Amino acid sequence: MRKNLCEYADRPLNECTRLELFNALLRWTDEAARERGYNEGKKKLYYISAEFLIGKLLSNNLINLGLYDEASRQLSAAGVELAELEEFESEPSLGNGGLGRLAACFLDSLATLGLPADGVGLAYHCGLFRQSFVDNRQYETPDGWLRWGTESWMHRTATHYDIPFGGMTLRSTMYEIDVTGYEGKCGRLRLFDVDTADERLIKAGIHFDQTDIARNLTLFLYPDDSTDAGRLLRVYQEYFMVANAARLILDEAVARGSNLHDLADYAAVQINDTHPTLVIPELIRLLTERGVRETEAISIVTKVCGYTNHTILAEALEKWPIAYLERAVPHLMPIIRRLDSRVRNEFDDPFLWIIDNSGYVHMANLDIHYSHSVNGVARLHTEILKNTELAPFYAVYPEKFNNKTNGITFRRWLMSCNQNLADLIDGTIGTGWRRDARELEKLMKHADDPELLRLLACVKRVNKRRFAEWIFRHQGAVIDPDSVFDVQSKRLHEYKRQQLNLLWIIREYQRIREGLLPARPVTVIFGAKAAPAYTIAKDIIHAILCLSDVIDADLAASKWLKVVMVENYNVSAAEKLIPACDLSEQISLASKEASGTGNMKFMLNGAVTLGTMDGANVEIAELVGRDNIYTFGASSDQVIERYRRGDYDPMAYLNADGELAAAVDFLVSEPMVAVGDKARLERLRHELANKDWFMTFPDFSDYCRVKARALSDMADETAWTKKALVNIAKAGFFSSDRTIEQYNGEIWGL
Ligand code: NBG
């Protein structure tokens, strides 16, 4: 590898355009990565996932390759800041939320820990979608991240497969992105595309002909599934993903010396949520094609595969009508039927069957029977799976169930996004934490050091200013960096309860108008995309945006309260927002958030959590102690019991709590309707007042009480900063390096 960036550019650096500089850096890091080489070994993991939300790669790769400081130095000598080039890179749009970001963090940890592993997924041309706000509503347009520039992190390979579908065969091409390990070798993300994909199929917004599979197959992640054609397309996509993966796995295992009977010594497959489930029948099919008897093939595949469950929400546990599978992948149906018969022969309980009596194929059931491991993603979540959601499965396969509490990579979520904090930590406890995150605990010894607390508060202030500047550039929003940054950023979903936060803001606004001023001005910041066909989620966005306008227009109140919604929230926005946060909102309905990973990122960056006892919040609370987290609301047991009884009545809460009723009514008040769409606001109000399926109202008064306490505690800056420090010190457990070590020790055995 050459030492200087200028050796990768065609002209002197100070004469290069930004694009030329970026491309030179790309070639430099590419070559450095290749020189490091790839993690190799007899057994390799294939982490198959519909999403890999990898974020921009420039800074991350420079840090992991140890080139960051050198690159910054050489660029500044040429009068360019590295940060300017980061702005220039486009973010791969390959994921939706935590599930995809988790997969990306896992790839980083796998590479860093020296484990042989590939991520396998699809190269969606236009990703999820790009979100914009027009008339206080979300609009979706294609997120054409691939069209960018002349060069890319993604390399086309010579690997192609012919993938059989009902009535046609489509040829694939494999692309690769190097995944750099921190101070280590690399792994790879392998993304498949169909050669016939055609972006010209896309008409207005993100609409396209859903039936033209050959041309639309890899255009978007999660095409609209509110129609039959859209759902069928998902089946085609899922099969395309795993059919490629299965061929790759078998070819590579054979190349490493496997005779296929011993495949489990050469390959581990992790099925990330149910989207890659068809890899099970496909591997069985390919093994039998290559001469293995079906009974043996089934047992081999069961030993190879592990399944991770990421949610208890029924809507996300996929089930496909037999008719879809007959049409898209008729060659798999006989195998799926035989797998189902085996289950029926063994178990009488229809809950355990793969094909139900209405003709649906339950993907999670297929996974659980034909994998050797089933894991949840936080302790509480795994317990709920075992004792409630999947209890009949746990009764027959207790040995399969295990927990793997999620984690995040500290390279991206601290070293890269919050360099000032990383430096401050280095100066306090040395740099050992960069390799072993548990060493952050050493900060506890300094928890009363006033100088450290002062510097920590200073880092936060700088990050808040940086975010304020960014959001102004990004969307023209003006926010006060000295106000409290109260942040809720995650997918928009009713169970995550952005609407609870919304009702709090309304209540706060009404109190301010009555002269009850908060201790300090508060800026509530949201970041969230709503699935295009999820009407109520879009109504919630609409209400938040309208409320933001209403408060802005009220000159007296807007000094105290401000609402901002980050447009097109993604990894790059998160990297700016998370280090700037004071109060981290993790307010899902207890039992519904499998884990959460944003909660971990905020904590690591010195925010204090306001949350329900849900997902990984439970483990955060245990680690930091009651004084360093604000919890409220019904427990998961209470919620599960309330659902079981089925007698929840939102009206009863509205009738009993005047402040709540006033907040809900405000949704359709004159000022809101003046800046919004009456029908949408009314629909949201009606949904809450008559259904409120995710039980916002029962937690409302407790949420308000605890949030008020958090905001008033913030007035004592030293005491608050100490809480932040404890959160950072205790975050080591949530390193994805720890998570991956557990997966490897207990599931993969690489
Ligand atoms: C999400 C959960 C989160 C969890 C991530 C990663 C899905 C289906 N599930 O709570 O909602 O943190 O997965 O495990 O996206």
Side-chain angles (χ1 to χ4, degrees):
M1 180 188 71
R2 288 157 283 180
K3 278 217 174 52
N4 290 311
L5 183 57
C6 59
E7 296 173 63
Y8 294 87
D10 300 331
R11 309 190 261 164
L13 294 187
N14 56 4
E15 290 172 21
C16 287
T17 64
R18 299 276 189 280
L19 179 61
E20 287 166 339
L21 286 174
F22 181 79
N23 284 337
L25 272 173
L26 204 91
R27 282 179 227 127
W28 194 16
T29 45
D30 251 9
E31 200 172 300
R34 300 253 152 126
E35 264 178 34
R36 291 255 172 122
Y38 298 94
N39 294 312
E40 317 263 0
K42 177 177 171 189
K43 187 169 184 181
K44 182 171 172 185
L45 166 72
Y46 298 84
Y47 193 90
I48 311 180
S49 176
E51 302 183 30
F52 287 94
L53 197 46
I54 53 179
K56 294 184 186 183
L57 295 176
L58 182 59
S59 294
N60 182 73
N61 285 353
L62 287 169
I63 288 178
N64 284 358
L65 294 166
L67 295 174
Y68 191 91
D69 292 339
E70 193 49 36
S72 305
R73 203 185 53 72
Q74 294 185 25
L75 284 170
S76 346
V80 179
E81 290 305 309
L82 185 51
E84 296 171 45
L85 300 185
E86 282 165 17
E87 297 293 315
F88 194 63
E89 184 183 354
S90 73
E91 178 180 322
S93 180
L94 296 172
N96 180 18
L99 176 107
R101 186 51 233 175
L102 183 78
C105 285
F106 280 5
L107 293 185
D108 181 288
S109 287
L110 283 160
T112 299
L113 295 173
L115 299 171
D118 280 350
V120 184
L122 295 182
Y124 312 99
H125 293 223
C126 299
L128 186 67
F129 61 84
R130 174 175 290 277
Q131 177 195 53
S132 55
F133 300 139
V134 182
D135 296 335
N136 289 336
R137 286 165 55 184
Q138 167 178 296
Y139 280 83
E140 302 97 20
T141 49
D143 198 355
W145 64 283
L146 271 176
R147 247 170 283 156
W148 178 87
T150 50
E151 294 185 38
S152 158
W153 301 108
M154 198 163 92
H155 303 291
R156 190 183 167 96
T157 71
T159 302
H160 305 277
Y161 297 111
D162 288 321
I163 305 300
F165 290 98
M168 67 180 165
T169 297
L170 296 177
R171 202 172 117 98
S172 72
T173 296
M174 184 171 83
Y175 290 81
E176 283 181 352
I177 298 178
D178 286 336
V179 178
T180 55
Y182 180 58
E183 296 176 345
K185 295 192 176 182
C186 300
R188 290 186 184 93
L189 173 56
R190 292 171 139 176
L191 300 173
F192 287 91
D193 193 7
V194 63
D195 288 359
T196 44
D198 186 352
E199 290 168 37
R200 286 170 305 183
L201 205 61
I202 303 167
K203 300 293 178 234
I206 53 170
H207 299 285
F208 60 92
D209 177 355
Q210 292 190 321
T211 60
D212 192 346
I213 303 296
R215 291 166 75 207
N216 70 21
L217 189 60
T218 48
L219 292 182
F220 289 99
L221 165 66
Y222 302 139
D224 178 0
D225 64 350
S226 60
T227 61
D228 273 325
R231 280 192 292 273
L232 187 59
L233 170 53
R234 286 203 188 189
V235 177
Y236 278 98
Q237 283 190 325
E238 291 182 359
Y239 177 68
F240 183 71
M241 171 168 74
V242 301
N244 280 294
R247 284 159 179 74
L248 180 70
I249 293 165
L250 294 185
D251 289 354
E252 287 195 341
V254 168
R256 283 197 301 277
S258 168
N259 61 19
L260 296 185
H261 300 280
D262 57 4
L263 183 66
D265 299 332
Y266 287 83
V269 169
Q270 196 63 29
I271 299 176
N272 194 34
D273 221 46
T274 51
H275 318 113
T277 301
L278 291 176
V279 76
I280 291 173
E282 180 67 357
L283 273 174
I284 294 172
R285 194 179 73 86
L286 295 180
L287 282 171
T288 53
E289 261 183 21
R290 297 187 191 195
V292 181
R293 291 201 16 249
E294 186 166 276
T295 320
E296 189 195 348
I298 293 172
S299 103
I300 294 172
V301 171
T302 308
K303 268 190 259 164
V304 165
C305 292
Y307 159 61
T308 304
N309 173 288
H310 292 268
T311 183
I312 65 165
L313 294 184
E315 70 192 42
L317 289 176
E318 294 174 298
K319 49 178 190 179
W320 299 120
I322 290 177
Y324 289 11
L325 293 166
E326 289 285 12
R327 176 138 168 220
V329 285
H331 46 294
L332 284 191
M333 258 333 281
I335 299 173
I336 295 173
R337 285 188 206 277
R338 286 198 292 278
L339 293 176
D340 182 53
S341 306
R342 288 171 164 256
V343 170
R344 286 174 182 244
N345 288 339
E346 206 176 332
F347 306 109
D348 294 332
D349 180 359
F351 185 86
L352 299 172
W353 298 349
I354 294 170
I355 303 179
D356 67 20
N357 289 334
S358 320
Y360 282 93
V361 180
H362 292 246
M363 307 310 258
N365 297 11
L366 184 50
D367 291 318
I368 301 171
H369 287 295
Y370 298 102
S371 297
H372 68 284
S373 162
V374 176
N375 76 282
V377 289
R379 198 175 60 215
L380 174 68
H381 170 58
T382 301
E383 288 306 307
I384 293 175
L385 292 179
K386 291 192 325 197
N387 303 326
T388 309
E389 290 307 307
L390 299 177
F393 282 101
Y394 180 57
V396 298
Y397 300 127
E399 72 291 348
K400 290 193 185 187
F401 283 75
N402 62 91
N403 178 55
K404 298 286 168 284
T405 297
N406 282 167
I408 57 175
T409 166
F410 287 20
R411 268 75 64 184
R412 182 175 293 267
W413 296 110
L414 177 54
M415 293 185 209
S416 168
C417 75
N418 200 345
Q419 292 173 21
N420 291 336
L421 178 56
D423 291 345
L424 181 61
I425 297 172
D426 284 349
T428 313
I429 58 166
T431 57
W433 65 273
R434 288 178 182 255
R435 282 217 71 95
D436 178 4
R438 297 256 183 177
E439 286 198 17
L440 286 175
E441 182 91 32
K442 289 186 183 167
L443 286 169
M444 288 305 286
K445 277 204 225 99
H446 305 266
D448 290 307
D449 174 353
E451 181 59 8
L452 176 62
L453 295 179
R454 195 184 63 77
L455 289 170
L456 187 56
C458 215
V459 166
K460 185 62 76 178
R461 258 195 299 280
V462 169
N463 290 338
K464 288 169 74 171
R465 218 158 284 151
R466 185 180 70 141
F467 178 76
E469 283 161 16
W470 178 82
I471 193 86
F472 178 70
R473 265 183 286 129
H474 183 65
Q475 62 193 70
V478 178
I479 61 175
D480 172 8
D482 294 324
S483 62
V484 173
F485 283 10
D486 168 14
V487 182
Q488 185 172 16
S489 59
K490 46 185 79 258
R491 280 179 301 133
L492 203 309
H493 199 293
E494 288 167 279
Y495 87 78
K496 296 179 184 280
R497 298 197 301 186
Q498 281 91 352
Q499 69 275 25
L500 178 57
N501 198 345
L502 171 72
L503 292 176
W504 177 85
I505 303 168
I506 296 177
R507 174 182 172 275
E508 194 62 16
Y509 174 55
Q510 291 175 326
R511 289 167 72 98
I512 291 171
R513 285 178 59 92
E514 285 162 20
L516 292 164
L517 301 180
R520 268 175 67 192
V522 180
T523 303
V524 187
I525 304 165
F526 291 92
K529 288 181 178 177
Y534 187 174
T535 307
I536 292 294
K538 288 178 135 178
D539 289 346
I540 293 172
I541 291 184
H542 182 57
I544 291 172
L545 293 171
C546 290
L547 183 60
S548 169
D549 277 358
V550 169
I551 298 175
D552 275 351
D554 184 331
L555 293 183
S558 62
K559 285 203 269 296
W560 295 98
L561 189 60
K562 167 104 196 162
V563 182
V564 189
M565 184 141 204
V566 178
E567 203 166 15
N568 198 40
Y569 182 69
N570 58 8
V571 178
S572 312
E575 286 168 3
K576 305 280 190 317
L577 176 57
I578 290 172
C581 169
D582 295 306
L583 191 63
S584 153
E585 301 266 355
Q586 307 299 334
I587 60 178
S588 54
L589 175 64
S591 79
K592 296 292 182 194
E593 187 69 274
S595 165
T597 45
N599 46 3
M600 302 168 187
K601 293 164 199 159
F602 283 107
M603 163 194 202
L604 178 62
N605 283 275
V608 179
T609 304
L610 167 59
T612 46
M613 284 300 241
D614 198 15
N617 295 353
V618 176
E619 287 158 83
I620 294 177
E622 208 171 275
L623 284 161
V624 301
R626 293 175 62 94
D627 290 346
N628 301 299
I629 186 168
Y630 294 85
T631 63
F632 70 94
S635 70
S636 59
D637 285 343
Q638 288 168 329
V639 170
I640 289 167
E641 174 57 17
R642 208 187 274 140
Y643 275 119
R644 202 193 52 77
R645 285 200 316 268
D647 62 358
Y648 169 54
D649 173 18
M651 275 299 177
Y653 286 86
L654 278 185
N655 293 335
D657 182 344
E659 275 194 323
L660 174 64
V664 172
D665 284 344
F666 189 81
L667 288 172
V668 291
S669 62
E670 216 174 277
M672 288 288 280
V673 170
V675 292
D677 172 347
K678 187 164 185 203
R680 284 164 212 274
L681 294 167
E682 181 52 51
R683 185 165 55 200
L684 176 58
R685 198 202 66 84
H686 186 265
E687 180 79 15
L688 285 171
N690 297 286
K691 188 165 166 212
D692 189 24
W693 181 246
F694 292 101
M695 302 174 181
T696 316
F697 295 175
D699 284 350
F700 180 71
S701 62
D702 203 24
Y703 176 56
C704 294
R705 186 179 60 79
V706 176
K707 190 159 174 173
R709 184 157 58 81
L711 291 172
S712 94
D713 286 356
M714 242 177 247
D716 181 346
E717 190 177 71
T718 310
W720 183 265
T721 309
K722 186 174 164 186
K723 291 180 203 292
L725 185 78
V726 173
N727 271 274
I728 299 166
K730 298 289 183 179
F733 175 73
F734 298 110
S735 162
S736 46
D737 297 348
R738 186 268 311 152
T739 315
I740 287 298
E741 271 165 358
Q742 291 181 337
Y743 272 93
N744 189 37
E746 296 161 31
I747 304 176
W748 304 325
L750 304 176

